[in-house]
């Protein structure tokens, strides 16, 4: 559903759902943001991190309420994690530094996303050994 009127005459002009003819609008904005993060200068005293999930504002929260959705349902309906895994597998963001990747609803497409991220990590520091007791830190190159 691309256009739905609701409370306070809110008009939903596009949708992130897989079946939507307007999915390219929110995906384009998200990928533009991600490209900007990946292309930004990396500082040695910071951990490069990407938020690969839908961002919320008052409008998107109201639209989600009207559609009976949530961040988890939006990811499931959009198949965002599957799309991101396909982009990574296809070579998008190659040569970019990354220490942390944040995604919503990894129960949907998370295995594909992990596989795509794991395939891209020529260097990693295993920190889940007893002496570190931390999760794995990954650098994508």
């Amino acid at each position: 559903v691309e256009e739905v009127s609701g409370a306070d005459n809110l008009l939903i002009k596009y949708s992130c759902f897989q079946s939507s003819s307007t999915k390219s609008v929110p995906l384009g904005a998200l990928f533009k943001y991600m490209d900007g993060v990946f292309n930004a200068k990396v500082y040695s005293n910071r951990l490069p991190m990407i938020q690969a999930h839908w961002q919320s504002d008052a409008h998107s929260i109201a639209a989600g309420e009207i559609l009976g959705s949530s961040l988890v349902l939006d990811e499931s309906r959009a198949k965002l994690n599957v799309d991101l895994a396909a982009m990574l597998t296809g070579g998008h963001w190659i040569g970019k530094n990354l220490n942390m990747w944040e995604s919503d609803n990894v129960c949907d497409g998370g295995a594909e996303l992990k596989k795509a991220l794991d395939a891209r990590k020529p260097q990693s520091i295993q920190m889940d050994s007893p002496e570190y007791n931390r999760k794995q830190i990954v650098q994508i190159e």
Side-chain angles (χ1 to χ4, degrees):
V1 177
E2 280 80 40
E3 294 190 13
V4 177
S5 293
D8 300 322
N9 295 321
L10 176 69
L11 185 64
I12 301 168
K13 297 179 181 177
Y14 53 82
S15 167
C16 63
F17 299 167
Q18 186 72 28
S19 60
S20 173
S21 63
T22 60
K23 182 181 178 184
S24 63
V25 174
L27 276 180
L30 179 63
F31 296 156
K32 181 179 178 181
Y33 154 77
M34 291 177 69
D35 286 343
V37 171
F38 277 118
N39 291 322
K41 182 177 179 177
V42 177
Y43 297 92
S44 62
N45 63 342
R46 297 184 185 163
L47 292 173
M49 175 266 254
I50 191 74
Q51 294 178 328
H53 53 80
W54 301 122
Q55 302 297 314
S56 300
D57 61 17
H59 180 83
S60 65
I61 291 169
E65 287 290 319
I66 289 170
L67 296 173
S69 197
S70 67
L71 286 175
V72 171
L73 287 173
D74 284 352
E75 190 292 318
S76 289
R77 293 173 178 163
K79 300 295 181 201
L80 179 60
N81 290 336
V82 172
D83 288 346
L84 291 167
M87 290 183 74
L88 286 165
T89 301
H92 205 81
W93 303 305
I94 196 160
K96 306 299 179 183
N97 290 318
L98 176 69
N99 288 86
M100 291 179 271
W101 180 284
E102 295 179 3
S103 287
D104 289 328
N105 193 22
V106 294
C107 293
D108 183 63
E112 294 92 340
L113 191 53
K114 182 179 184 319
K115 183 178 178 182
L117 287 166
D118 284 348
R120 305 256 331 234
K121 61 175 185 185
Q123 297 178 354
S124 67
I125 303 166
Q126 193 69 27
M127 298 189 73
D128 60 356
S129 60
E131 61 268 23
Y132 290 108
N133 196 21
R134 294 186 183 179
K135 292 186 178 182
Q136 189 176 28
I137 296 177
V138 177
Q139 180 179 4
I140 297 177
E141 293 184 359

